[in-house]
Amino acid sequence: MSAGTSSREESTDDTGPPPSPAITPAAAPGRASRRQRATLAAYGFLAPNLVLLGVFLFLPLAWAFLISFQESNGFGASGWVGLDNYRRLVTDPTFWRSALNTATFTLLTVPLSLALGLGLAVLMNSVLPGRRLFRTLIYLPMVISGVATALMGVLLFDEATGIINKLLRGGGLAGIPWQSQGSAAFASIILVTLWIRVGFNMVIYLAGLQGISPELYEAARLEGATSWQQFRYLTVPLVGPSTFFLLIMDVIYSFQIFDTIFVMTGGGPGRSTSVLVTYAYENGFVTRDQSYAAAIGIVIFLLTLSFTAIQWRGNRSRDTVG
């Protein structure tokens, strides 16, 4: 081999990988302009929803916050009273009774609706004849308006003409005082609420169950796990994100329950079924003390926001640790 050939081969081996093309000064401004156009397009798509949120959510919320520091009967503010409305809340026994009823209602309905929704989702995710029909029937109350569903509750639980009391009397039993006894009236509200909420919880849980790989259950069965152990150690942890979402949604719904109580009991008998929203409605539209009603509404908003923030932070902490 000649010396010239060897030198050419050595020079070829020493060159290494080809250099990357240099970025021209015009490339960076081009990418920046594309990002700006994409950002403007995104805001353009978001603009209608942002306008609706601003007009129908943020503006009324700010107005209610302002009214809560004034004295108003709905026809204009008559003066600035500062924290007087909030001081009145502290000494108002009806407010505390309504707050206690709201807390009790939430503590009873949320766990029950979650448990029933998960149980129905597991059942509907199995091999069950007529699953689609049962899913539709269970979810149907969520499609119907709240007032219409509450009217169905009246047909069932009316003390004089309700279907349940008619069946009880037909069987020789005494009717239940659904409207004249506080505990029975509260129980009827809880039962109708569960009927309304369970369908929504079932659908969300069903979506979570269908995202779980069947191989996990097959491996658990090969290891000798029973059906309860599969449910306890596989199903419940793996639907955790669905539980987190439903927990927040159900608590918010419980804090804002109104139409069912308003139609079925009106907050009675006495104050046994009065909750914060019905008490705010009573002050705002019956006694026309809208500044006090606004203060109650702000309290409901702060309670809901605080619970959501705590749950969100706790869920993020669990995800970080995991």
Side-chain angles (χ1 to χ4, degrees):
M1 185 181 294
S2 62
T5 304
S6 301
S7 61
R8 284 195 300 271
E9 290 177 354
E10 291 174 359
S11 63
T12 303
D13 294 337
D14 293 338
T15 55
S20 58
I23 299 176
T24 60
R31 280 198 293 269
S33 62
R34 285 197 296 271
R35 283 197 299 269
Q36 292 175 356
R37 288 197 297 270
T39 302
L40 290 175
Y43 279 114
F45 286 114
L46 289 173
N49 286 333
L50 292 176
V51 170
L52 291 175
L53 283 174
V55 172
F56 295 104
L57 179 62
F58 297 120
L59 184 60
L61 182 61
W63 185 249
F65 184 74
L66 180 63
I67 292 177
S68 68
F69 294 100
Q70 299 176 351
E71 185 177 355
S72 173
N73 59 1
F75 298 99
S78 59
W80 187 268
V81 296
L83 296 174
D84 286 353
N85 289 317
Y86 294 95
R87 295 191 187 98
R88 179 180 166 188
L89 289 175
V90 178
T91 59
D92 184 359
T94 305
F95 169 79
W96 289 109
R97 176 66 185 275
S98 300
L100 179 61
N101 288 341
T102 304
T104 305
F105 178 82
T106 302
L107 291 174
L108 289 174
T109 57
V110 172
L112 286 174
S113 63
L114 289 175
L116 291 173
L118 180 57
L120 287 172
V122 172
L123 183 62
M124 296 301 162
N125 198 43
S126 61
V127 180
L128 181 70
R131 286 181 299 171
R132 294 182 179 179
L133 176 62
F134 287 124
R135 290 177 191 173
T136 303
L137 293 176
I138 294 171
Y139 189 75
L140 189 61
M142 285 297 299
V143 181
I144 305 172
S145 69
V147 174
T149 308
L151 288 174
M152 294 180 187
V154 173
L155 292 176
L156 289 172
F157 294 101
D158 186 84
E159 189 171 337
T161 61
I163 296 175
I164 293 178
N165 275 2
K166 283 185 176 180
L167 292 175
L168 290 175
R169 294 188 185 102
L173 301 174
I176 300 175
W178 296 112
Q179 280 76 47
S180 58
Q181 184 180 347
S183 58
F186 202 81
S188 68
I189 297 296
I190 290 176
L191 291 173
V192 173
T193 302
L194 291 176
W195 179 46
I196 295 173
R197 294 298 299 174
V198 162
F200 177 75
N201 293 353
M202 180 199 69
V203 169
I204 300 300
Y205 273 130
L206 191 59
L209 289 173
Q210 292 177 351
I212 300 175
S213 174
E215 285 78 7
L216 294 174
Y217 292 101
E218 184 178 355
R221 285 192 295 269
L222 292 176
E223 292 293 331
T226 63
S227 298
W228 169 252
Q229 289 173 333
Q230 294 176 40
F231 176 80
R232 171 66 180 85
Y233 296 105
L234 280 179
T235 303
V236 173
L238 291 175
V239 296
S242 300
T243 302
F244 168 70
F245 170 75
L246 289 174
L247 178 63
I248 292 179
M249 296 299 294
D250 285 350
V251 169
I252 292 174
Y253 178 86
S254 298
F255 283 170
Q256 297 178 349
I257 183 72
F258 173 75
D259 45 10
T260 303
I261 295 176
F262 183 78
V263 172
M264 291 185 62
T265 65
R271 294 287 181 178
S272 58
T273 59
S274 174
V275 292
L276 289 175
V277 177
T278 58
Y279 187 46
Y281 171 85
E282 179 184 337
N283 282 276
F285 297 97
V286 178
T287 62
R288 305 299 298 180
D289 191 356
Q290 294 199 348
S291 56
Y292 190 55
I296 299 173
I298 294 299
V299 170
I300 298 172
F301 169 73
L302 293 177
L303 288 174
T304 306
L305 185 64
S306 300
F307 175 83
T308 304
I310 292 171
Q311 287 296 317
W312 187 268
R313 185 177 181 85
N315 186 72
R316 290 188 62 185
S317 300
R318 288 193 298 270
D319 290 345
T320 303
V321 172

